[in-house]
Amino acid sequence: MNTSSKPGPQITVVSFDGTKHEIEGEVGLSLMKNIIDNGIPGIDADCGGECSCATCHVILPDDWYDRLGEPSSDEEAMLGMNPEITPTSRLSCQIPVTEELDGLYVEVPEFQF
């Protein structure tokens, strides 16, 4: 939860079944940590955010993928092991939450449920 007086960026996480979870992101934490801290299902984060698994996979809309940039080679390697990879897949542990993420929309794929 955001403990500063300034509201954090508003982020929408959509579960595979279509359930929308609106959260106030905490700047400085990863998107993965924000999702877990808000009790949203589908992000297991088996490696604890070390980019050594793909259990925090999210799918971004094209415009957000372009804004966040390409994944690192380590992230691409982990994503390559995921059965539901898409052209806009990212690992949420590799996305730091900043004020610029206000309005971010991500989907959690079915495989993780």
Side-chain angles (χ1 to χ4, degrees):
M1 295 284 156
N2 185 356
T3 58
S4 72
S5 60
K6 183 178 180 184
Q10 298 302 299
I11 299 169
T12 301
V13 181
V14 181
S15 299
F16 174 73
D17 66 1
T19 303
K20 289 185 179 182
H21 308 272
E22 305 284 341
I23 64 171
E24 181 180 329
E26 184 172 341
V27 172
L29 298 179
S30 69
L31 178 58
M32 176 206 77
K33 182 78 169 123
N34 273 277
I35 292 171
I36 289 170
D37 286 353
N38 281 278
I40 300 170
I43 300 293
D44 291 336
D46 290 342
C47 73
E50 298 298 320
C51 195
S52 60
C53 73
T55 61
C56 69
H57 174 211
V58 293
I59 301 168
L60 303 167
D62 290 335
D63 60 333
W64 276 104
Y65 184 85
D66 292 342
R67 287 173 67 180
L68 293 175
E70 297 287 321
S72 69
S73 58
D74 288 342
E75 184 178 353
E76 282 184 350
M78 290 299 107
L79 285 166
M81 296 188 300
N82 191 299
E84 293 187 334
I85 190 171
T86 72
T88 61
S89 289
R90 291 291 307 266
L91 297 181
S92 59
C93 71
Q94 298 301 296
I95 301 173
V97 171
T98 64
E99 292 297 334
E100 290 75 34
L101 292 188
D102 190 49
L104 177 65
Y105 178 97
V106 300
E107 296 176 358
V108 179
E110 178 181 17
F111 179 75
Q112 290 171 193
F113 283 89

